Amino acid sequence: EPSKGGFTLDELNGYADKILASIINDSMSLHDKAYAIYKWTRGNIGYLNDSPKGDWLQGAYDGMIKRRGDCFTYAATAKFLLERIDLEPLVITKEKTSWTNQNNHYWLLLDLGEGYYHYDPTRRADGTWFFMWTDAQLLEYSNNHRGSHNFTRDKYPKIQ
C-alpha cells in the first residue's frame, strides 16, 4: 500500500538497491561500504533549509528520489541505505541550545563492530566530513560551532 508520499516500501527498497549496486560490492569491507553510503548521501542530495520531519521513509524517499532536503533527509537516506546492508544505525537528535530554540539537527550513530561512532552525512558550509567520529572529536567541533551537535549523552549507548 502506498505511503502518503505516494510510494511503496518495495519501490523504496528497489531505489536503494539500485544505488547500493552502483557504489558497493561484496569485496568491500563493512567500513568501506559505510563510507560509500556516506559519500553517496553527502554528494547526491542538495541541501534545502527545511524538510518535513518525523517520517523516516519519506525522508529516505526525498533523499534518494527527489535528491534534496535538510539534515533529516540526509540522516533518513543514510539510515535506509545502511539498513539495506544489515547495519543498524541509531538516530541522534540535537538538543536545544542557547543559540537555537529547536531540536534542529539529526545524525546517526553507527557501530561497525568496534563500538558506536558519529556518522553525520549532512553537508556543512565549512566542508567538514563527520564519518565515524569519536565523541571527543564531535564535542570539540560542536563546542567551536555554536553547539552544532549538542545532545544528551545519557540517552544513547556509549560512543567511542
Side-chain angles (χ1 to χ4, degrees), residues 11-49:
E11 287 172 322
L12 208 53
N13 285 331
Y15 291 130
D17 292 345
K18 281 184 189 154
I19 291 166
L20 291 168
S22 74
I23 62 172
I24 66 172
N25 63 61
D26 291 341
S27 69
M28 295 169 80
S29 69
L30 209 49
H31 183 275
D32 290 344
K33 289 177 182 180
Y35 187 60
I37 290 169
Y38 183 95
K39 285 194 314 189
W40 188 93
T41 303
R42 185 182 166 91
N44 287 279
I45 299 173
Y47 189 83
L48 287 178
N49 209 24

